[in-house]
Every structure is written in C-alpha cells, then in structure tokens.
Amino acid sequence: MLEFKKEEIVADKEQVRYSVEGGIATVTIDRPERKNGLSVEAMNGLTDAWSKAEADPSVRVIILTSADCGVFCAGLDLKQAAEIRARDGVDILTRMRDPMQNAMRTVSKPIIAAMTGSLMAGGMMLALKCDLRVGLRGARAGITEVKMGRGSPWAVPMLWMLPQPLLMEMVLTGETVPIERLAEHGFLNSLEDTPQAVRERANELARMIVAGAPLSVKAAKASVLAAMDLGLARGLVEAERLHVEAYASLDAIEGPKAFAEKRKPVWQGR
C-alpha cells in the first residue's frame, strides 16, 4: 500500500455539496470552472461526505455526481498540484486525508455514480469505487496517469470489471475511449442521453434500493465485495456469514408476511 506523509488541512465544504432526501444522500463535486477536478479541498470534502453518510442511519444509498460542465471529473487538480509543489515542496497527495479514496470501499451503503460527462484519471477512480454507474452517451473515459507522470494503483479492481486487454490498453496508453465501449463490457448499468436523464436514472436506482430491506441490501453489497477480495470458495463462506443477521431479522419475517397480505413491506432494519 502506498504511504504518504499526511499534512492535515481543513476541507472546504463548498467544493463538495451534500444533501439528504428520502433516504438518498447526494454528494456533488461542485467545481465546474476546473472541470470538477480533485483539489485538496474537494478530496477531503469527499472523505467527509462518506463518513457523514455512513454515520447517518437515515441514509440508505448514496449518489455521487458533479456540477454540469461536460466533465464528470477530470481527475487530480494538476494546477493546484504544481502550485503546492512550487510553494511547499511536497506532493499534493500529502495534503489529502485519503488520496486514493479507499474509504469508499468501507461504506456499507451502496454508492451510485451519476456521471454527467467525461471522466479521466481520478474521475475513473471514483467511478470504479462506486457500486452502480450511470453514464452519458458521447462521453469519454480514460486512465490518463502515464501521460502526467502519475500512477493508477487504484485501477487494479477493474480486472474484475473489464477485459484485461482493454484495461491494459487504458493504463499503458493513457488514451481515452468512448464510454459506450466500457458499457459494452458491463462497466456501466445504464447510458443516458442528457445529464438530467443520468441523474434521474441514478435516482430511480436509488429509490429501488431504498425500497429494499436494509439488512439484506447491506449484506448483498458486502458479499459481492468480499468475493472479489477472497475468491469464490472463501467468498461464499463469507457471504453466508454476512447474511446471518438478515435471515434472523424481523424484516425476514415481514417480507413474506407483506407479500402474503398483498401490501408493501414496512422495514425496520432489524
């Protein structure tokens, strides 16, 4: 694991907007003037958002999106990176509490990426760490780090999401590809024609998740991620362990009861 010397600064919450409605937390990168680039403030704002959503029992699902500018996220704010290096003599990543956004993998609630434009570098990093992805037709996507002398260790999980030759092409050449090409290989759940349609589809998926039994949704996400980490045999064992709470819950009784009574279930999350 890469280690960076941490030099703490206060996150600017204005670069990342956070709101909650109907069990859905919406996290919005709001830097259209910088193509929603990941500044120190934006990255630390995202880290705060994951923590806030995870700690809030009213939040059942999270949507990650950004301000409309044709780009979902252009990746690291390279201008700020150069400024910090020139002024302080340190790499920009040292100013970020979680430069690889690893906390996203520890969030128990599903995260949906509503990608309203193209995405490169850190934008791809954020997208692949989400659980569901909705994209915009005509957008492009890329892992462009080799063109900037940076790196993409975070791209390794994409071996479970895309064919190896395509991933190799992306990480070795740094060229962007049509987002439709990624969709053909199942990286996206849906492609839409406009940014508004992208957000609407993401919210539709979120509402379907909110309608599900909370413990079942939590166990389902954790089981899939565990199988990726552990492999099939150990993943199956871990999945059964993760589902014990759901099977023993009051919701496991409520589901069949509501079905038999032809009504919507009333979940208690216990």
Side-chain angles (χ1 to χ4, degrees), residues 49 57 78 97 109 117 122 126 135 179 210 235 247 251 259:
L78 297 175
R97 297 200 300 274
K109 300 158 187 185
L126 294 176
I179 201 167
V210 169
Y247 281 122
D251 285 348
F259 178 81

mmCIF file of all heavy atoms in Angstrom, residues 49 57 78 97 109 117 122 126 135 179 210 235 247 251 259:
data_model
loop_
_atom_site.group_PDB
_atom_site.id
_atom_site.type_symbol
_atom_site.label_atom_id
_atom_site.label_comp_id
_atom_site.label_asym_id
_atom_site.label_seq_id
_atom_site.Cartn_x
_atom_site.Cartn_y
_atom_site.Cartn_z
ATOM 1 N N ALA A 49 -17.783 13.406 3.333
ATOM 2 C CA ALA A 49 -19.123 13.003 2.901
ATOM 3 C C ALA A 49 -19.364 11.520 3.137
ATOM 4 O O ALA A 49 -20.443 11.115 3.590
ATOM 5 C CB ALA A 49 -19.324 13.334 1.421
ATOM 6 N N PRO A 57 -28.103 7.030 10.071
ATOM 7 C CA PRO A 57 -28.989 5.881 9.879
ATOM 8 C C PRO A 57 -30.127 6.143 8.895
ATOM 9 O O PRO A 57 -30.724 5.211 8.380
ATOM 10 C CB PRO A 57 -29.526 5.600 11.284
ATOM 11 C CG PRO A 57 -29.375 6.893 12.021
ATOM 12 C CD PRO A 57 -28.149 7.528 11.456
ATOM 13 N N LEU A 78 -4.331 19.380 -11.426
ATOM 14 C CA LEU A 78 -2.897 19.453 -11.715
ATOM 15 C C LEU A 78 -2.332 20.852 -11.490
ATOM 16 O O LEU A 78 -1.159 21.005 -11.135
ATOM 17 C CB LEU A 78 -2.644 18.998 -13.148
ATOM 18 C CG LEU A 78 -3.009 17.525 -13.432
ATOM 19 C CD1 LEU A 78 -2.822 17.218 -14.910
ATOM 20 C CD2 LEU A 78 -2.165 16.581 -12.579
ATOM 21 N N ARG A 97 -6.394 13.578 3.122
ATOM 22 C CA ARG A 97 -6.510 12.574 4.177
ATOM 23 C C ARG A 97 -6.639 11.159 3.610
ATOM 24 O O ARG A 97 -6.215 10.194 4.236
ATOM 25 C CB ARG A 97 -7.716 12.899 5.075
ATOM 26 C CG ARG A 97 -7.577 14.228 5.801
ATOM 27 C CD ARG A 97 -8.503 14.289 7.009
ATOM 28 N NE ARG A 97 -9.896 14.144 6.650
ATOM 29 C CZ ARG A 97 -10.687 15.143 6.264
ATOM 30 N NH1 ARG A 97 -10.191 16.366 6.146
ATOM 31 N NH2 ARG A 97 -11.950 14.936 5.983
ATOM 32 N N LYS A 109 -23.184 1.285 2.656
ATOM 33 C CA LYS A 109 -24.362 1.627 1.846
ATOM 34 C C LYS A 109 -23.966 1.724 0.372
ATOM 35 O O LYS A 109 -22.878 2.198 0.047
ATOM 36 C CB LYS A 109 -24.949 2.952 2.346
ATOM 37 C CG LYS A 109 -25.363 2.837 3.826
ATOM 38 C CD LYS A 109 -25.460 4.158 4.534
ATOM 39 C CE LYS A 109 -25.704 3.941 6.024
ATOM 40 N NZ LYS A 109 -25.934 5.173 6.785
ATOM 41 N N GLY A 117 -20.830 13.456 -17.574
ATOM 42 C CA GLY A 117 -19.877 13.897 -18.583
ATOM 43 C C GLY A 117 -18.709 12.940 -18.655
ATOM 44 O O GLY A 117 -18.777 11.810 -18.156
ATOM 45 N N GLY A 122 -8.509 10.444 -11.857
ATOM 46 C CA GLY A 122 -9.226 10.324 -10.588
ATOM 47 C C GLY A 122 -10.718 10.217 -10.745
ATOM 48 O O GLY A 122 -11.403 9.692 -9.867
ATOM 49 N N LEU A 126 -12.930 7.325 -8.893
ATOM 50 C CA LEU A 126 -14.174 7.468 -8.143
ATOM 51 C C LEU A 126 -15.266 6.564 -8.714
ATOM 52 O O LEU A 126 -16.019 5.932 -7.972
ATOM 53 C CB LEU A 126 -14.639 8.922 -8.173
ATOM 54 C CG LEU A 126 -13.755 9.935 -7.448
ATOM 55 C CD1 LEU A 126 -14.293 11.347 -7.662
ATOM 56 C CD2 LEU A 126 -13.656 9.623 -5.962
ATOM 57 N N GLY A 135 -23.967 6.524 -16.982
ATOM 58 C CA GLY A 135 -23.131 7.435 -17.745
ATOM 59 C C GLY A 135 -23.876 8.179 -18.826
ATOM 60 O O GLY A 135 -25.058 7.922 -19.104
ATOM 61 N N ILE A 179 -17.223 6.096 -23.868
ATOM 62 C CA ILE A 179 -17.840 5.447 -22.716
ATOM 63 C C ILE A 179 -18.720 4.284 -23.149
ATOM 64 O O ILE A 179 -18.924 3.321 -22.403
ATOM 65 C CB ILE A 179 -18.628 6.471 -21.873
ATOM 66 C CG1 ILE A 179 -18.827 5.929 -20.450
ATOM 67 C CG2 ILE A 179 -19.948 6.833 -22.555
ATOM 68 C CD1 ILE A 179 -19.300 6.983 -19.472
ATOM 69 N N VAL A 210 -33.630 1.869 -1.823
ATOM 70 C CA VAL A 210 -34.266 2.303 -0.579
ATOM 71 C C VAL A 210 -35.484 1.446 -0.257
ATOM 72 O O VAL A 210 -35.794 1.185 0.910
ATOM 73 C CB VAL A 210 -34.668 3.795 -0.669
ATOM 74 C CG1 VAL A 210 -35.568 4.198 0.498
ATOM 75 C CG2 VAL A 210 -33.426 4.679 -0.691
ATOM 76 N N GLY A 235 -15.212 -16.621 -0.571
ATOM 77 C CA GLY A 235 -16.234 -15.594 -0.704
ATOM 78 C C GLY A 235 -17.619 -16.118 -0.372
ATOM 79 O O GLY A 235 -18.427 -15.419 0.237
ATOM 80 N N TYR A 247 -31.113 -12.887 7.732
ATOM 81 C CA TYR A 247 -32.027 -14.027 7.849
ATOM 82 C C TYR A 247 -32.686 -14.105 9.224
ATOM 83 O O TYR A 247 -33.828 -14.582 9.346
ATOM 84 C CB TYR A 247 -31.281 -15.332 7.570
ATOM 85 C CG TYR A 247 -31.064 -15.602 6.101
ATOM 86 C CD1 TYR A 247 -29.779 -15.766 5.585
ATOM 87 C CD2 TYR A 247 -32.136 -15.707 5.216
ATOM 88 C CE1 TYR A 247 -29.571 -16.030 4.237
ATOM 89 C CE2 TYR A 247 -31.941 -15.962 3.878
ATOM 90 C CZ TYR A 247 -30.657 -16.121 3.390
ATOM 91 O OH TYR A 247 -30.455 -16.364 2.065
ATOM 92 N N ASP A 251 -37.227 -8.211 9.654
ATOM 93 C CA ASP A 251 -37.540 -7.937 8.261
ATOM 94 C C ASP A 251 -37.684 -9.225 7.449
ATOM 95 O O ASP A 251 -38.441 -9.277 6.473
ATOM 96 C CB ASP A 251 -36.449 -7.065 7.630
ATOM 97 C CG ASP A 251 -36.541 -5.617 8.093
ATOM 98 O OD1 ASP A 251 -37.566 -5.263 8.707
ATOM 99 O OD2 ASP A 251 -35.595 -4.851 7.835
ATOM 100 N N PHE A 259 -45.950 -9.892 1.513
ATOM 101 C CA PHE A 259 -46.262 -10.490 0.210
ATOM 102 C C PHE A 259 -47.588 -11.242 0.277
ATOM 103 O O PHE A 259 -48.443 -11.114 -0.608
ATOM 104 C CB PHE A 259 -45.144 -11.449 -0.198
ATOM 105 C CG PHE A 259 -45.398 -12.145 -1.503
ATOM 106 C CD1 PHE A 259 -45.147 -11.510 -2.716
ATOM 107 C CD2 PHE A 259 -45.906 -13.440 -1.527
ATOM 108 C CE1 PHE A 259 -45.386 -12.156 -3.926
ATOM 109 C CE2 PHE A 259 -46.158 -14.098 -2.727
ATOM 110 C CZ PHE A 259 -45.901 -13.447 -3.928
#
